[in-house]
Amino acid sequence: QVSLVESGGGLVQPGGSLRVSCEASTTSPINVMGWYRQAPGKERELVAVITRGGSPVYGDSVKGRFTVSRDNAKNTVELQMNNLKPEDTAVYSCYVSTSWGTETWGQGTQVTVSS
C-alpha cells in the first residue's frame, strides 16, 4: 500500500512559477514517480514522470517549462512549473508505481493560472 501527501499549488498569474511536492510512504520499492493532471471536462493527462534512475518523461505541452525531480532516499518527487499558462490550470495528482506493479494517484492539488 502507498500513501501520498501532496503540497504546493495555488493561484498564479500567467508567466509565473509554482512548485508542487509529494512524499510517498510505502514498504514497497518505488519504481516511477511523477505527476498527472486533470482539467474540468478533460481526461487525465501525463505531466511528467521520472524513473528511479532519474530519467524523466514529459508531456508534450509542458516540455521546456516544467522540471520533475525526485529524492529516492526520501521518497519524494517535485514538479517545478515555470512560464505557466492558463491552459495549465488543473488538479495535479502525484503518481507512484512500485516494483510490484501497483499504481497509486494522490487526491490532487489545485493549480490555477489566471490574471
Side-chain angles (χ1 to χ4, degrees):
Q1 186 171 352
V2 180
S3 176
L4 302 175
V5 177
E6 299 154 320
S7 60
L11 174 64
V12 66
Q13 293 185 343
S17 298
L18 279 177
R19 177 180 296 174
V20 290
S21 302
C22 175
E23 181 176 2
S25 297
T26 180
T27 57
S28 302
I30 293 177
N31 184 16
V32 176
M33 302 184 78
W35 297 89
Y36 283 73
R37 70 185 182 187
Q38 187 167 21
K42 295 186 177 181
E43 293 188 354
R44 183 169 58 193
E45 66 171 347
L46 169 71
V47 178
V49 294
I50 184 168
T51 67
R52 187 171 184 82
S55 298
V57 174
Y58 294 97
D60 288 340
S61 62
V62 307
K63 287 180 180 177
R65 300 187 297 121
F66 291 11
T67 302
V68 63
S69 60
R70 68 185 281 178
D71 185 327
N72 291 333
K74 297 180 180 178
N75 280 349
T76 58
V77 61
E78 291 190 343
L79 182 69
Q80 176 65 42
M81 302 178 285
N82 297 328
N83 190 23
L84 283 158
K85 305 175 180 180
E87 52 264 41
D88 293 318
T89 296
V91 175
Y92 285 67
S93 297
C94 182
Y95 167 81
V96 165
S97 71
T98 70
S99 297
W100 312 125
T102 302
E103 295 182 303
T104 304
W105 280 266
Q107 291 188 336
T109 183
Q110 178 69 45
V111 171
T112 301
V113 185
S114 175
S115 55

